[in-house]
Amino acid sequence: MSDKSDKSAAESSWTWYWADPDSAAACVPQAEEIVQKLISGRWQEFGKEMPKASRVADLACGMGAAGRALLSGNPTADIIGADYAEISEDADLPFPVRAGVPLENLPFDDAEFDAAISQFGFEYAGEEASGELARILKPGGKIRLLMHHAQSVVVQANKVRRNLLEAISAFGATDAARSGDRARLQAGFGKLVGQYGEQPLILEIATACRDGFAMSEVDRTALLDGIDAGMQRELTILRELKQAAQSEDDINALIKRTASSIDWARPEVLEFDGKAICWELNGTRAEA
């Protein structure tokens, strides 16, 4: 697949993800509610620390989870979001969003913002995004980035889900359902249960494939085409997550790459119950 096709698949997959109303509260699947609350608290604190009416860029904002939390700490903040996905104009967002915008080419003026934030989004962009981050900030402007940690509980949970989806696709579950091959379905899903246990995802897709046997050919085809499309979109997102998750070396490379324009504090690892959740990077736009 070409780079252009990869980008198109990624954009459509994230657009599909953010079209789900449940995505408004989170930027990553499989994160426990208590983890979401901890992350929201970091944005509330950041909002309280900034002056009233600060202009803030929420980069890779999705459905605005970070910006919403920041507003709860500072209701006067003037936030504008930017995201690579196409965010619906009907989305219930508390601030305007520039949709279909790559972080490597932001549609903002130089030194336009007092602060910039990103929750589980900046790490998906190319290296050019670092220059754009510095460009749009006023000297002294504040930065907070929450970025996927390569060893986080969130990344590990999604690794299991990615492996399951890849395995279901590999043994041809939907092809077996189309051809009426019950033995192939039973063997394929049985092997997965033996390897991973009775995961809800296995049960969900196995039940849908089984239900297709009782449908007309037209309805069965529509059902299975939908399953295929959903699996491929989610796999695109989960594979991107795998590539985007940051190691300590990745974080240090980002800091080194931007050292001339951004003064970074020491990177922190947010933890819950002794396990990594994500990286937190705080910085200040260097004076011109």
Side-chain angles (χ1 to χ4, degrees):
M1 185 180 290
S2 67
D3 288 345
K4 186 175 181 180
S5 296
D6 286 342
K7 290 180 180 179
S8 178
E11 180 181 353
S12 64
S13 295
W14 282 109
T15 298
W16 162 79
Y17 177 72
W18 292 122
D20 183 349
D22 291 338
S23 299
C27 279
V28 64
Q30 312 307 313
E32 295 182 10
E33 182 178 357
I34 193 167
V35 171
Q36 298 289 357
K37 288 182 177 179
L38 187 153
I39 290 170
S40 293
R42 301 303 297 154
W43 296 122
Q44 291 168 6
E45 176 192 80
F46 193 61
K48 290 176 181 178
E49 292 172 351
M50 65 179 56
K52 291 182 177 181
S54 292
R55 187 156 172 79
V56 182
D58 186 351
L59 305 178
C61 64
M63 289 296 288
R68 290 172 194 271
L70 188 149
L71 284 170
S72 69
N74 187 342
T76 69
D78 178 16
I79 301 177
I80 183 168
D83 199 279
Y84 186 53
E86 293 294 339
I87 306 298
S88 172
E89 293 182 358
D90 297 328
D92 182 22
L93 282 160
F95 50 82
V97 173
R98 301 283 184 88
V101 170
L103 299 192
E104 299 88 346
N105 187 22
L106 293 170
F108 304 129
D109 293 335
D110 294 357
E112 180 175 344
F113 294 94
D114 301 296
I117 64 173
S118 184
Q119 174 173 307
F120 302 138
F122 191 82
E123 61 269 43
Y124 288 88
E127 291 186 2
E128 299 89 343
S130 301
E132 284 291 89
L133 172 64
R135 181 185 67 79
I136 67 172
L137 282 169
K138 298 175 183 178
K142 301 301 182 182
I143 301 166
R144 176 165 291 179
L145 308 177
L146 298 189
M147 305 172 75
H148 286 298
H149 191 295
Q151 300 303 318
S152 75
V153 291
V154 173
V155 170
Q156 295 308 309
N158 280 283
K159 177 181 178 181
V160 173
R161 189 171 179 89
R162 185 186 73 246
N163 289 342
L164 281 173
L165 286 169
E166 288 176 340
I168 291 169
S169 180
F171 89 76
T174 54
D175 288 342
R178 284 187 175 88
S179 64
D181 192 342
R182 294 175 184 268
R184 181 178 171 190
L185 278 175
Q186 184 174 353
F189 283 116
K191 181 178 180 180
L192 290 179
V193 170
Q195 184 175 357
Y196 294 97
E198 294 185 352
Q199 296 278 345
L201 179 63
I202 298 175
L203 180 61
E204 177 186 350
I205 297 178
T207 300
C209 289
R210 182 198 63 197
D211 290 348
F213 290 131
M215 298 179 179
S216 67
E217 183 176 354
V218 171
D219 289 344
R220 180 169 63 252
T221 297
L223 169 69
L224 298 173
D225 285 350
I227 292 172
D228 279 337
M231 286 199 301
Q232 290 308 310
R233 285 190 293 255
E234 187 169 355
L235 276 170
T236 296
I237 290 172
L238 295 178
R239 287 165 180 162
E240 283 209 328
L241 169 61
K242 177 184 178 182
Q243 293 185 352
Q246 302 285 290
S247 67
E248 185 173 359
D249 287 344
D250 294 326
I251 295 297
N252 288 335
L254 168 61
I255 292 172
K256 182 178 180 179
R257 188 166 65 245
T258 56
S260 64
S261 57
I262 299 172
D263 297 324
W264 294 102
R266 185 180 180 86
E268 298 180 42
V269 178
L270 298 188
E271 295 184 343
F272 173 70
D273 199 22
K275 297 179 181 178
I277 298 173
C278 63
W279 292 101
E280 178 178 307
L281 271 70
N282 292 287
T284 303
R285 177 66 168 96
E287 298 293 334

